[in-house]
Amino acid sequence: MTRRVLAILAFAGLLTGSPALAADGAKTFQLQCKTCHGAKSTPMGPSLAGVAGRKIAGLADFKYSAGLTAKAGATWTDANLDAYLAAPAKFAPGTKMMTGVANPADRAAVVAYVKALK
Ligand code: HEC
């Protein structure tokens, strides 16, 4: 398991040019996201595996709020991930997700990590 995580982080580092960034993001993710976002969708939250480049509110196995579904025409680009995590209710008024990551550096790191989830 640890090896797999390390492999994912190494891969993320290759893509972003910053292994340290994704590694910092992994820590933040464990602390602030993992309770609701696992490998599979649960009633707590949708799976984030492959979320980068996916349609917003795009999984069939999760019941999204009307707020996030209103954004469903768009894609999870870096900019949209950043904006949602900066201020979830501002990006998608009515979203069920309340938690964001206020600090821009922490947010960039968690986005780098989330983008590597496959
Ligand atoms: C308390 C539970 C909870 C926590 C903690 C949480 N989320 Fe969420 N997240 C959700 C829920 C619920 C949704 C669906 C929101 C909706 O339908 O409005 C969601 C949606 C998302 C989406 C959009 C997924 C999609 O399929 O469109 C992303 C990206 C995301 N969360 C990232 C994160 C990150 C990164 C963190 C940690 C910083 C985090 N979330 C923390 C519950 C949570």
Side-chain angles (χ1 to χ4, degrees):
M1 184 59 196
T2 310
R3 268 200 191 156
R4 189 156 164 244
V5 169
L6 289 175
I8 290 168
L9 292 177
F11 184 57
L14 285 177
L15 291 181
T16 60
S18 174
L21 192 65
D24 287 354
K27 266 182 250 162
T28 306
F29 191 87
Q30 300 297 322
L31 293 171
Q32 297 185 32
C33 318
K34 212 186 160 193
T35 20
C36 301
H37 294 290
K40 297 235 156 67
S41 297
T42 69
M44 292 293 287
S47 168
L48 296 181
V51 73
R54 191 164 81 197
K55 288 283 176 216
I56 293 178
L59 290 179
D61 68 357
F62 185 80
K63 198 172 174 337
Y64 294 95
S65 66
L68 199 60
T69 304
K71 300 288 245 176
T75 299
W76 284 122
T77 57
D78 288 13
N80 282 337
L81 284 167
D82 182 72
Y84 186 43
L85 291 171
K90 202 171 152 207
F91 178 82
T95 181
K96 284 192 279 191
M97 187 171 108
M98 305 294 164
T99 11
V101 181
N103 180 288
D106 290 347
R107 198 163 64 241
V110 93
V111 166
Y113 176 78
V114 162
K115 283 173 64 184
L117 295 174
K118 297 282 184 261

